[in-house]
Amino acid sequence: MTHQKKQTAIVIDANALLHRSFHALPPLTTKDGQMINAVYGFLTVLFKVLKEFKPTHVAVAFDKAKKTFRHEQYAEYKAGRAKTPDEFYEQLPIVKEVLAAFHIPVYEQEGYEADDLIGTIAHDNERAKIDTIIVTGDKDAFQLIDDHTRVHTLRKGIADTVTYDAKAFVTRYGFAPIQMIDFKAIAGDPSDNIPGVKGIGEKGATALLQKFKTLEKIYEAIDKQGDDVDIPKRQLTLLQKHKKEAFMSKQLATIVTDVDMQYQPEEAVLQPYDKQAVYQLFQTYEFKSLLNRLPDVPGVEPSEGASAEESEDGAHSSANPKSKEKYSLVNTDAAFAEFLTAAEKQKVIAVDTESTNVDPFRAELLGISICWQAGTAYYINVKDHATWLPKIRAFLENPKIKKVGHNIKYDLAMLWQVDIDLRPITFDSMVASYLLNPGSRGHSLDNLAYETFGYEMQSITELIGKGKDQITMDMVPLDKVSWYAAEDADYTWQLYQYFTTELEEKNMTGLMEKIEVPLIPVLAMLEQNGVHIDTKFLGDLSKKTGAKIESLEKKIYDLAGTEFNINSPMQLKEVLFEKLKISSEGISKTKTGLSTAAAELEKLKDKHEIIPLLQEYRELAKLKSTYLDALPQLVNPKTKRVHTSFNQTITATGRLSSSDPNLQNIPIRTEEGRKIREAFVAAPGYSIVAADYSQIELRIIASIANDERMIKSFAEGEDIHRRTAADVNQIPLEEVTKQQRYEAKEVNFGILYGMGAWGLATRQGMSRERARAFIEKYFMVHPEIQEYIAATIALAHEQGYVETLFGRRRYLPDINASMPRVRAGAERMAINMPIQGTAADLMKVAMINIYQKLPDVSAETKMILQVHDELVFEVPDSEVQQVAAFIVEEMNTAYQLRVPIETEVEVGQNWGALTPLGL
């Protein structure tokens, strides 16, 4: 053992840390539904303290799930605590498994709490001249602080921490750490159900200890001086009445420091961890994000564990080393000819491109990597051999060779830039991963290689760096680019083979082949088409909005009586709650105090006239920065258009999303938000045509639930919300008021999202009793929908997932959670997903059909946007009527529901000022 001048031990209170993580973090689960939030939080803190304190020793103490000697002293000890959910206890074996892989010793002993073991370890360490830092989530350990022991505790959540030595403790609490025992004896501890002296709180306890030092001295003074003792009369009476409870509480609060336990300091010396075991566990529990936080302690290198083995197909099963793969750089005519001869014999190949930019419309193609056998791949250096492109084109467009990729939409768009139309595309491993696990965001190639094969791929940042020092791929040495690209193609190929079987087992091959894969070129085309932006209009709108923001600033300053930084939550909080004295009742708190988030300001909107001004200020400032000022910067200098990116693998319901810029979140509820759409204009000689599914989700639930009244109403072309209001209120259709229709609309759509009486009452400003009565009447009118909801929830509980009409699944790992709030959230998802997901599938089918048939209808028409239930086109003025009729026909017949599907079409010169088109 290496002796250092200063030895420090970290001793962790496992249960305290795990409890804090469990309640502070969202219910993170693996693909299999195993909750791992407590373990994740525990490891986050463990790695943080190892990095921060660089200890020489580490030990972890657990509570035993049995009663301790304190329960014998006081049967009500820790009584009244809410039962901890099973999802917490299921994580304890996992954290012990991980600690074993890190060679960190674990201590637990019947009859004692973790605190007692920690106290004993700290005392043993002191005798061995080792300083101790106790890592915990509660205050019990504060009494152990002395010259050799500090406490590192979590204040809020798992990120906000503070370390107390004796001086810091006294500054914070006003008495010495050892007095914490006496403090609890007087003030009690509700979390452990230690009674203390009822009626004397923390403030009174502190004052007594500052004067008398200990509980014993307080009672000595009372015995000697009687009623003349210098203690307030009320406190004196309480102390006299509860003397027995006070001394019992002190006994309960005292941590034992001489437990007869098997601890030797040398056992806790920080050891090299078993890298292979750790990687396998992190793979099993999907902790890839923690890999880059693995401890890197000076003098302690991770052991490799068992040697890396090569599988039969030549691929490595370990994350290290990377030396046996057959990755070839194709950089000579001879090598290219040899590659092409072999490649043209293949039936399926994996393809990946390397370029200079993540935006294919601003990038230059550098090379193409190809793989058709695990562990063997080729990188074709296109940048220096442009003369090869005609032969590469023939090869990549060969209809007899199937092409697979990972996010192959990018490769398709990239190859379009050099006039290569990659086809036929038959598989995308990123999309396959998404279909199999739509609740995850971890569909990147390196994440999947790690999760599936335990293989850690080379990071892109190793090649090009990050931040201000980042370079482009064309500046990286060719041999390194070649390896990186070939590895991408290799693991894309391996994932293709793996996911093909998985999709078949889950009966999702049809969804992949009929919807998701055919959609890829549609989205690539949408992105390439882009949208024309009127930058002058946006510039003028930005100036006007800037002037409005300045005017609002002045009004806000006048009402506040001072100038301040409106964008600073700290300063805003001070103005609202301290200067203006607005009531903070019901306002949530953050780690820095009262929250001023949008949802909290909404609660205050009727309490002071400054609040609506702040809300408007925030909305305008966001619009200005996110769209008015940002959109002109995103115009592509080559195409003079904005090219958004459509994401196929983000939302859990199957809906598409867009980014860089996000054109699906432009607010349309406000006048300023609607104005932004006016900047999306048609090119000269063209018009914007927008086709929007009418009330598609209600039509879908009417069909899925086979709701007779809804089906009849849709078939007769009625206003569905007016019909619902008439039925619920039992009045003729023509007598329905605007407010009654609005209430019915809220319920019609709210039901789709599992909204209950509380939600309706909140949204409509009605009493909860009236909201409950309204929903009860609604279900009397629509019993089939109530049956659908009950049946869907029951099915979700039984099988763990729900499906759309097209077979898209959403897995619900929390559906059988023991925590009511978590379970209810999963049940709401179960109700909504089949409806919203079917609408998304329907839109995708329509997009595919339109994309495939549109060239025969109008060669010049471009599909340019997809937003929720809406498709937007740029159509030659002379062809508007025929193209619009074609679009409506394809959207209406994409799928046969029990009710007619209707599409509303509008036309205009910009997206924000459209008029209905009569067909």
Side-chain angles (χ1 to χ4, degrees):
M1 182 174 110
T2 303
H3 288 278
Q4 301 173 347
K5 285 182 182 176
K6 186 85 168 174
Q7 295 190 89
T8 306
I10 292 284
V11 185
I12 297 175
D13 183 346
N15 289 70
L17 214 59
L18 288 162
H19 268 287
R20 179 65 66 92
S21 301
F22 182 75
H23 293 292
L25 297 177
L28 309 171
T29 56
T30 65
K31 283 185 286 194
D32 299 331
Q34 168 67 57
M35 199 178 285
I36 40 85
N37 60 342
V39 186
Y40 182 89
F42 180 94
L43 291 175
T44 300
V45 176
L46 171 65
F47 294 169
K48 183 171 177 276
V49 295
L50 288 176
K51 184 178 180 182
E52 183 177 344
F53 297 114
K54 298 181 173 51
T56 53
H57 299 64
V58 183
V60 178
F62 281 84
D63 289 327
K64 270 280 191 187
K66 292 186 177 179
K67 293 189 173 181
T68 68
F69 72 91
R70 291 182 178 86
H71 292 92
E72 292 171 16
Q73 292 174 343
Y74 181 49
E76 295 300 303
Y77 180 64
K78 291 196 174 180
R81 283 189 172 186
K83 184 184 179 298
T84 304
D86 294 339
E87 289 87 345
F88 172 81
Y89 291 111
E90 287 166 4
Q91 297 184 61
L92 298 185
I94 300 173
V95 83
K96 289 177 181 176
E97 197 179 1
V98 175
L99 288 169
F102 278 103
H103 300 313
I104 294 174
V106 164
Y107 298 93
E108 52 190 342
Q109 192 150 320
E110 278 189 32
Y112 294 95
E113 295 180 56
D115 286 335
D116 301 315
L117 308 185
I118 290 167
T120 302
I121 291 169
H123 275 242
D124 287 351
N125 284 343
E126 186 176 339
R127 282 195 287 272
K129 296 186 166 43
I130 301 168
D131 286 351
T132 299
I133 299 170
I134 299 167
V135 179
T136 184
D138 58 40
K139 298 175 181 178
D140 292 345
F142 285 165
Q143 62 186 270
L144 299 171
I145 296 172
D146 58 24
D147 292 343
H148 298 279
T149 304
R150 288 175 282 163
V151 170
H152 181 77
T153 189
L154 313 177
R155 283 188 291 205
K156 189 176 177 67
I158 62 169
D160 183 13
T161 59
V162 61
T163 305
Y164 288 106
D165 58 12
K167 185 179 176 185
F169 180 88
V170 173
T171 303
R172 167 68 178 82
Y173 288 97
F175 51 83
I178 193 66
Q179 291 176 277
M180 179 54 91
I181 306 170
D182 303 273
F183 176 79
K184 284 195 171 191
I186 301 167
D189 184 350
S191 67
D192 287 341
N193 201 35
I194 295 176
V197 178
K198 284 189 167 49
I200 301 181
E202 294 186 356
K203 196 173 176 183
T206 302
L208 286 166
L209 291 176
Q210 285 171 341
K211 189 179 294 181
F212 296 99
K213 305 303 180 194
T214 68
L215 185 71
E216 288 77 7
K217 287 183 179 175
I218 292 171
Y219 281 102
E220 275 177 30
I222 292 171
D223 290 343
K224 279 183 186 176
Q225 299 169 38
D227 291 347
D228 295 330
V229 70
D230 187 15
I231 296 174
K233 182 70 178 165
R234 178 178 165 278
Q235 288 186 2
L236 177 60
T237 304
L238 292 168
L239 284 163
Q240 289 169 331
K241 182 179 177 185
H242 297 291
K243 181 176 181 179
K244 185 182 174 186
E245 290 94 327
F247 280 99
M248 180 191 69
S249 296
K250 181 163 183 174
Q251 215 174 350
L252 293 173
T254 302
I255 291 174
V256 177
T257 59
D258 58 356
V259 177
D260 182 13
M261 60 183 287
Q262 301 300 311
Y263 170 75
Q264 297 295 329
E266 45 273 21
E267 293 172 358
V269 172
L270 195 54
Q271 301 288 327
Y273 58 86
D274 184 337
K275 189 171 182 179
Q276 189 174 6
V278 168
Y279 270 52
Q280 285 173 349
L281 283 170
F282 277 29
Q283 178 189 357
T284 301
Y285 298 112
E286 298 168 25
F287 288 143
K288 179 156 197 315
S289 63
L290 291 176
L291 277 181
N292 60 357
R293 299 190 219 170
L294 282 172
D296 179 21
V297 182
V300 178
E301 293 298 322
S303 61
E304 286 299 335
S307 59
E309 294 178 3
E310 191 173 336
S311 60
E312 290 178 13
D313 60 9
H316 286 286
S317 59
S318 82
N320 192 46
K322 301 173 181 177
S323 57
K324 294 183 183 177
E325 289 86 348
K326 297 171 187 174
Y327 293 164
S328 305
L329 168 62
V330 178
N331 202 27
T332 65
D333 288 340
F336 179 65
E338 187 182 338
F339 158 77
L340 208 55
T341 300
E344 286 174 337
K345 295 174 184 174
Q346 306 309 315
K347 292 181 179 178
V348 188
I349 60 167
V351 182
D352 185 69
T353 56
E354 291 305 327
S355 67
T356 56
N357 198 303
V358 293
D359 180 351
F361 310 113
R362 295 175 187 252
E364 177 194 351
L365 180 68
L366 299 177
I368 304 166
S369 52
I370 307 287
C371 175
W372 57 80
Q373 181 184 345
T376 302
Y378 303 84
Y379 178 70
I380 307 163
N381 178 14
V382 174
K383 180 174 178 279
D384 298 325
H385 299 280
T387 54
W388 296 347
L389 278 173
K391 288 185 177 178
I392 293 171
R393 181 179 301 112
F395 166 58
L396 292 179
E397 293 183 355
N398 185 339
K400 293 179 181 176
I401 304 172
K402 295 176 180 177
K403 318 301 187 303
V404 305
H406 189 89
N407 188 21
I408 203 168
K409 173 165 66 75
Y410 176 87
D411 305 299
L412 174 63
M414 193 65 245
L415 290 166
W416 280 347
Q417 311 313 306
V418 291
D419 198 29
I420 294 175
D421 188 17
L422 185 67
R423 62 175 189 256
I425 293 170
T426 58
F427 198 88
D428 188 314
S429 51
M430 183 171 82
V431 174
S433 170
Y434 164 71
L435 286 180
L436 291 163
N437 190 22
S440 167
R441 291 289 183 96
H443 305 299
S444 67
L445 184 58
D446 62 341
N447 189 68
L448 292 175
Y450 179 76
E451 277 189 7
T452 311
F453 308 115
Y455 181 91
E456 189 180 8
M457 298 184 71
Q458 183 175 22
S459 164
I460 183 70
T461 56
E462 289 177 32
L463 293 186
I464 63 173
K466 55 185 177 181
K468 59 181 175 57
D469 299 323
Q470 190 176 78
I471 59 174
T472 50
M473 196 63 101
D474 54 333
M475 299 165 73
V476 177
L478 184 59
D479 62 329
K480 290 187 176 180
V481 175
S482 172
W483 171 274
Y484 175 82
E487 186 185 54
D488 279 0
D490 179 10
Y491 278 88
T492 297
W493 174 261
Q494 293 188 48
L495 287 169
Y496 155 65
Q497 294 184 306
Y498 177 82
F499 283 141
T500 299
T501 306
E502 289 273 296
L503 288 170
E504 285 172 3
E505 287 176 359
K506 299 272 173 58
N507 199 26
M508 298 177 84
T509 303
L511 182 64
M512 181 77 167
E513 292 178 350
K514 292 175 184 172
I515 296 183
E516 294 299 339
V517 168
L519 185 69
I520 291 168
V522 185
L523 298 180
M525 177 271 300
L526 262 174
E527 293 175 4
Q528 176 161 277
N529 287 343
V531 285
H532 190 60
I533 300 288
D534 186 339
T535 53
K536 183 182 182 304
F537 176 84
L538 284 176
D540 293 342
L541 195 55
S542 179
K543 284 177 189 171
K544 288 176 187 172
T545 305
K548 278 187 184 177
I549 290 170
E550 280 185 28
S551 171
L552 282 168
E553 272 181 350
K554 286 175 185 165
K555 290 177 184 175
I556 289 167
Y557 294 154
D558 286 345
L559 287 169
T562 183
E563 289 194 10
F564 66 102
N565 181 357
I566 300 170
N567 299 313
S568 163
M570 291 296 287
Q571 292 186 35
L572 181 58
K573 180 176 61 181
E574 198 177 306
V575 166
L576 297 182
F577 303 116
E578 293 175 27
K579 195 165 190 309
L580 297 178
K581 307 287 187 198
I582 298 173
S583 169
S584 61
E585 188 181 348
I587 299 300
S588 301
K589 288 186 177 181
T590 67
K591 62 183 179 184
T592 57
L594 291 163
S595 171
T596 56
E600 305 310 313
L601 286 190
E602 183 64 23
K603 296 175 187 175
L604 299 171
K605 66 180 180 181
D606 298 325
K607 293 191 175 179
H608 197 286
E609 55 188 318
I610 198 172
I611 303 297
L613 298 180
L614 287 168
Q615 290 176 307
E616 189 181 357
Y617 170 91
R618 280 185 175 178
E619 186 181 320
L620 292 179
K622 186 177 180 182
L623 284 178
K624 189 173 186 297
S625 63
T626 308
Y627 296 106
L628 304 181
D629 298 340
L631 280 175
Q633 305 301 316
L634 295 171
V635 173
N636 186 300
K638 284 194 290 187
T639 65
K640 309 296 183 194
R641 295 168 84 91
V642 168
H643 302 268
T644 187
S645 179
F646 285 94
N647 308 308
Q648 203 172 350
T649 60
I650 299 292
T651 71
T653 59
R655 277 188 182 274
L656 297 170
S657 68
S658 79
S659 54
D660 306 316
N662 181 349
L663 299 182
Q664 299 199 329
N665 273 12
I666 298 173
I668 55 170
R669 292 181 184 275
T670 62
E671 185 186 343
E672 288 81 4
R674 287 191 293 274
K675 272 278 182 192
I676 293 170
R677 286 194 169 198
E678 292 183 30
F680 292 73
V681 297
Y686 288 75
S687 293
I688 297 292
V689 172
D692 196 341
Y693 274 129
S694 171
Q695 298 173 332
I696 192 64
E697 291 185 4
L698 287 176
R699 293 173 192 270
I700 288 168
I701 195 171
S703 294
I704 291 177
N706 199 15
D707 184 281
E708 288 182 19
R709 289 213 181 202
M710 270 197 177
I711 291 171
K712 183 172 182 287
S713 185
F714 277 125
E716 293 176 359
E718 288 182 336
D719 177 332
I720 191 68
H721 303 311
R722 187 172 288 277
R723 166 49 60 198
T724 300
D727 288 346
V728 169
N729 290 291
Q730 297 177 316
I731 56 175
L733 203 63
E734 59 274 11
E735 289 181 18
V736 172
T737 65
K738 191 175 179 182
Q739 178 60 28
Q740 286 171 330
R741 182 188 182 277
Y742 186 55
E743 286 174 355
K745 183 179 179 181
E746 284 287 321
V747 176
N748 270 333
F749 285 116
I751 290 296
L752 308 183
Y753 294 90
M755 183 179 74
W758 184 85
L760 179 63
T762 304
R763 291 176 68 91
Q764 281 292 307
M766 63 172 72
S767 71
R768 202 174 297 188
E769 290 72 25
R770 180 159 176 258
R772 190 177 290 110
F774 194 101
I775 289 175
E776 282 174 6
K777 284 183 188 172
Y778 180 90
F779 282 135
M780 286 171 68
V781 172
H782 298 287
E784 297 93 341
I785 290 180
Q786 189 172 26
E787 286 167 19
Y788 158 77
I789 290 170
T792 302
I793 290 173
L795 189 63
H797 279 287
E798 181 186 328
Q799 63 187 18
Y801 63 86
V802 288
E803 287 183 311
T804 68
L805 291 176
F806 294 83
R808 181 184 306 280
R809 289 183 185 180
R810 179 169 189 177
Y811 291 91
L812 302 160
D814 300 327
I815 193 70
N816 292 309
S818 61
M819 293 178 284
R821 181 181 57 83
V822 174
R823 188 172 62 249
E827 288 176 349
R828 284 193 296 273
M829 291 175 198
I831 297 165
N832 171 250
M833 189 274 171
I835 303 156
Q836 195 178 104
T838 295
D841 289 340
L842 187 66
M843 174 58 82
K844 288 177 179 179
V845 171
M847 290 172 74
I848 293 163
N849 293 345
I850 291 168
Y851 168 78
Q852 292 173 349
K853 299 175 187 176
L854 185 60
D856 296 332
V857 178
S858 168
E860 299 300 315
T861 292
K862 291 177 177 175
M863 193 189 305
I864 58 173
L865 280 175
Q866 191 282 319
V867 180
H868 306 310
D869 299 324
E870 180 181 15
L871 278 176
V872 185
F873 300 81
E874 196 173 46
V875 185
D877 290 335
S878 60
E879 300 178 5
V880 165
Q881 285 288 335
Q882 73 184 61
V883 170
F886 159 73
I887 292 165
V888 169
E889 174 67 15
E890 291 304 323
M891 289 178 71
N892 286 354
T893 59
Y895 188 79
Q896 183 98 35
L897 294 174
R898 286 192 169 104
V899 300
I901 294 174
E902 289 188 10
T903 303
E904 297 170 350
V905 190
E906 295 183 312
V907 64
Q909 284 306 296
N910 68 66
W911 191 24
L914 301 172
T915 54
L917 182 68
L919 292 174

